[in-house]
Amino acid sequence: MNLRWLWMLFAVALWPGWAAALSTPCQLKETQYGNVCVCNSSYCDYLEQPELRDDNQIVVISSSKNGLRFTRSEGSFLDKNILEVKDLQWIDNNFVADAVVVEQNKVWLQFANVPQRFAINVTIKTVQLTVHREKRYQKITNFGGAFTGSVSHILQQLPKALQDHVYKSYFHDDGIAYNSIRMSIGGSDFDLQPWAYNQLPRNDPSLSNFTSLDPRDLQKIEQLKRLKAVAKLSNLKIMAAAWSAPPWMKSNNRWTGYGQLKAEYYQAWADYHLKFLELMQSKNMTVWAISTGNEPLNGVIGFFFVHFMSMGWTPWQQAIWLNDYLGPTIRKSKQSQVLIFGNDDQRYTYPSWFRKMRTSRSNALDYLDGLAVHWYWDEIFGPQLIDQAHAEMPDKLLLNTESCIGDKPWQTHGPELGSWGRGESYMRAYIQDLLHHFNGWLDWNLVLDERGGPNYVHNYVDAPVIVNTTSRTEFYKQPIYYAIGHFSKFLPEESVRIEASTNETESFPQLSVVGFQRPDGSVALIVYNGENLPVNVALNDSQRGAFSLRLPARSWHTVVYK
């Protein structure tokens, strides 16, 4: 057994708080890129939601590059001593500890074969963190991931007990408490082949062959029923989007490439969406929201590098379809409660996409309940684009509806199993989006195989959970999973963002933070230390007072208190 796993069991045994808890620690496994937590049919790591015993208690849930995963520490506003989150120490044949040791605000390294310590002569920085609950912003609606055809295919191959651990890990309160999924209407790029409803007969605007759900969707529905039962989840928010119409509706008569919906099929395409909603509801799987279509620019300018299912729209075309066809069709039906999200494409299209839509149909945006954004180019295009869109449409929900890593030419295509750096990319992105009006986030595939697939175009990317499809006996929770979980697990629906700021003035501060007040009145702060040194945090809450923390290098934390 891995020595670090033994160390964790020993630490858990010594910690009285775990004795009565049902929480189970991560079974840590070292990989080429870092560490993962291993789950099998009989064991998986979980963390019960922290309950605050009194008004003075503080609970800190921590994950670190060195191997902490949802580790719990406790303190009190009555305690004037600093609460130090203890990091794991690396253990191997050469070193007893290859880790940072902090004493009296100095940093030391301790080696096994050298009796003395070596000072790095770095003073640990103290960052002031101020919380003002009176300053309130947007509410949280949902966190989740995509239940693609590839996800469904992988899950169906696993033993039932292992499937259940996937469902519980994501959707149960003891997991990371997702409350939402995204699924495609027809196929997507993560299916085993491209497909759509009513592919035959061709040139059939009445959609005479769209009378029942495809077996692939029926399999998903059975899996979602099991998911809800395992997770004890009564309300699952399902968001649906179409990648492409059947080829006969399109100008290029193909699944991909430069092609748009033929104008004579605008009403048929609206009816197509309504039929899907009705058939899903007939199976007791009510759809919460749809979008106007996945990544519309893929079929206009993205066809140079996009080889999967896509259908192009210009904003002017989409405004006509939304205003004259889709909007009225949905709003006049028994599915009128379904929300409609616009764009479902990259940040760089904001806010110009919607301004152009208004020039084509001035009232088209009245049919939109929300705006859907994809993550993929956010490191190049800043959040001020989102700020502008929000200022122009402050009544619309904002969701990030797709994200993954491994899609760029300069990235490893597929998983970097255990990569802390990829988890940090998620941590930075979630904090940034939540600081800029977003109400939630839907990640891409819930699970993928070891290559980052399967799919019909060999479009391999990473995912928070990677399944060993060779043995079909275990799966691996990556740092990405825990990065997301530091938000989704502790920010239930109706949580409200509150002002939480630091005194750091650097362009790239050591400490990043976003804060929320939860429906029960408690506060949850997500704090990220992105540097290779520990940091002291002097927390001052306008209603609760002061408290001090010491956070280890390269670590994420959720701080919860009343």
Side-chain angles (χ1 to χ4, degrees), residues 493-504:
E493 187 175 0
E494 298 296 316
S495 295
V496 180
R497 184 167 74 85
I498 57 177
E499 184 73 23
S501 59
T502 73
N503 64 336
E504 292 198 277

Side-chain angles (χ1 to χ4, degrees), residues 4 7 64-68 84-91 95-111 117-125 510 529 531-536 550-555:
R4 299 181 72 185
W7 185 96
S64 72
K65 183 180 181 182
N66 271 4
L68 296 181
E84 182 176 0
V85 175
K86 298 286 188 180
D87 204 0
L88 286 186
Q89 295 183 353
W90 287 89
I91 301 173
F95 304 106
V96 170
D98 181 14
V100 174
V101 178
V102 181
E103 287 183 1
Q104 297 179 345
N105 284 350
K106 286 190 176 180
V107 181
W108 307 80
L109 289 178
Q110 174 70 61
F111 296 94
R117 291 177 176 178
F118 292 91
I120 306 179
N121 293 323
V122 176
T123 300
I124 302 303
K125 181 167 67 173
Q510 179 173 0
N529 178 13
E531 297 296 324
N532 289 314
L533 289 171
V535 63
N536 293 334
R550 177 169 290 153
L551 306 179
R554 304 287 292 277
S555 60

Side-chain angles (χ1 to χ4, degrees), residues 364-378:
L365 302 187
D366 293 345
Y367 283 107
L368 294 182
D369 301 285
L371 315 177
V373 191
H374 290 194
W375 176 42
Y376 298 108
W377 298 97
D378 285 9

